[in-house]
Amino acid sequence: MDDKKPQWTLRRPVYLIGFMGAGKSSVARRLNRKFGFDYVDADSYLEEREGRAIAQIFAEDGEEAFRDLESACLKELAGQNRLISTGGGVVKRPENRQAMKENGFVVYLSVTADVAASRIRDKSTRPLFNDLESARARIAERVPLYESSANVIVNTVGLNVYQISNEVFRILREHAIAARV
Ligand code: S3P
């Protein structure tokens, strides 16, 4: 490990929520690299646990089976104070919204469908990002769920991953969630 790297820790689990392309995974990775926060990507955890890619799970078992797995993973990941980047649909189930709120601090990274589409290079890995029209409808449906789950909202439109990460870091310090090791 680089000794010069500032080391920070979290006092509670921090959930990054938001639509596909909001930057949840990239921001968690960046905050890990820059400040040393522990992090886990919930989708990658699920894929490893199942030994299958998400697109394959959707194709073979359908969305409801995926949502069951997603909820089970969320429970498994709740125990540690680290950053958890979630899948964009995690807020669909009330039990997940409740678990995140009760257990941690929830940061909603908001994005528009158009900006999300420009950020997602490989759409084949996102079975629920088909076309712009349906992405717009899906975001509109979910915005109230994201908003009601969130402790804070960061509008990511016009920001790059570095700027979003710095803003999340600032918020975590402001709320005394981030602390030096
Ligand atoms: C989904 C988002 C994806 C993944 C799955 C379903 C959704 O995660 O969990 O394809 O319903 O919005 P990302 O938000 O990380 O792309």
Side-chain angles (χ1 to χ4, degrees), residues 20 24 43 54 58 66-67 86-89 126-128 142:
M20 293 170 267
K24 304 174 298 280
D43 280 344
I54 287 174
F58 266 79
F66 169 77
R67 297 292 170 208
T86 61
R126 262 87 164 194
L128 293 185
R142 287 185 185 168

Side-chain angles (χ1 to χ4, degrees), residues 18-22 24-25 41 43 46 54-55 58 63 66-67 70 85-90 92 120 125-129 138 142 146:
F19 202 63
M20 293 170 267
K24 304 174 298 280
S25 306
D41 182 79
D43 280 344
L46 186 153
I54 287 174
F58 266 79
E63 180 172 352
F66 169 77
R67 297 292 170 208
E70 184 173 51
S85 49
T86 61
V90 76
K92 287 185 78 176
I120 300 174
T125 61
R126 262 87 164 194
L128 293 185
F129 202 113
R138 189 163 271 125
R142 287 185 185 168
Y146 292 133

